[in-house]
Amino acid sequence: MREIIGQVEGKGKRVAIIVSRFNQKITNILLEGALQALRQAQVAEDDIAVTKVPGAYEIPFLAKKLAFSRQFDAIICLGAVIRGETSHYDFVAGEASAGIAKVAHESDIPVIFGVLTTDTVAQALERADLNAGNKGRYAAKAALEMASLAGQWDALLPAEELVAMES
Ligand code: INI
């Protein structure tokens, strides 16, 4: 048996983080967790690009632009959509998740969903806790693991199969 395992290894990897300002008390902590994880995995400072958007709804627009630029090995999307604070929670959360998934599928680059969707601010703060399972950190590790897997499989798969996937 041959097992292909993704490594959480950041040397030489270029990573973009898109973070929404809405609920920034929470998204700033997600960003901090993501940056900690990337630095710990030795992603070079010059290889990390952080860009802010107004809200989670806007994330897919920029994710598409950055993914198709081919300048990054992975894109991390961070946001916090909180049901208690809006009646259009379902639209914002739905569009953010569907849009991010669509970019990942179409661009063939790992685009990671680090958007919290919770009922309350307290739940979101819990998932952002830097001392207990910060989801930004999780998203950053997932990004590096997926970039590693993508690189390994690109080297293993015949070029024709990769071309067919993209067409
Ligand atoms: N954006 C969020 O990121 N989180 C939310 O909880 C939220 N709420 O509550 O409305 C939210 N709304 C803004 C939205 O993302 C867009 O920025 C806005 O609709 C303009 O397109």
Side-chain angles (χ1 to χ4, degrees):
M1 187 192 82
R2 185 170 56 158
E3 200 174 356
I4 315 303
I5 296 171
Q7 308 296 328
V8 182
E9 165 57 55
K11 271 190 199 141
K13 294 281 188 303
R14 298 159 305 167
V15 180
I17 303 176
I18 304 172
V19 56
S20 59
R21 274 195 307 271
F22 206 102
N23 292 320
Q24 63 184 331
K25 182 176 162 199
I26 291 151
T27 62
N28 281 342
I29 315 176
L30 295 177
L31 175 61
E32 183 57 34
L35 289 171
Q36 280 179 7
L38 294 181
R39 288 170 180 148
Q40 195 178 354
Q42 301 194 310
V43 179
E45 231 29 59
D46 286 349
D47 290 336
I48 303 173
V50 176
T51 183
K52 295 198 175 179
V53 293
Y57 189 88
E58 281 73 38
I59 291 175
F61 173 84
L62 209 55
K64 181 176 179 190
K65 200 175 271 300
L66 299 187
F68 282 92
S69 76
R70 304 274 162 211
Q71 296 299 305
F72 301 100
D73 297 292
I75 295 167
I76 301 165
C77 303
L78 303 176
V81 192
I82 300 172
R83 187 184 291 277
E85 308 233 322
T86 177
S87 57
H88 63 251
Y89 166 95
D90 292 314
F91 296 107
V92 175
E95 287 303 320
S97 72
I100 290 167
K102 190 165 190 274
V103 175
H105 299 159
E106 291 178 356
S107 67
D108 197 31
I109 284 174
V111 184
I112 303 300
F113 184 65
V115 178
L116 299 180
T117 54
T118 64
D119 288 331
T120 64
V121 172
Q123 286 170 348
L125 281 168
E126 197 180 312
R127 290 175 203 177
D129 190 341
L130 282 165
N131 297 313
N134 174 280
K135 290 294 181 290
R137 187 181 292 139
Y138 180 92
K141 287 182 179 173
L144 294 178
E145 182 178 348
M146 291 307 296
S148 165
L149 281 172
Q152 290 183 67
W153 278 109
D154 283 352
L156 285 168
L157 291 171
E160 314 84 69
E161 290 187 27
L162 294 173
V163 170
M165 261 171 45
E166 280 173 16
S167 60

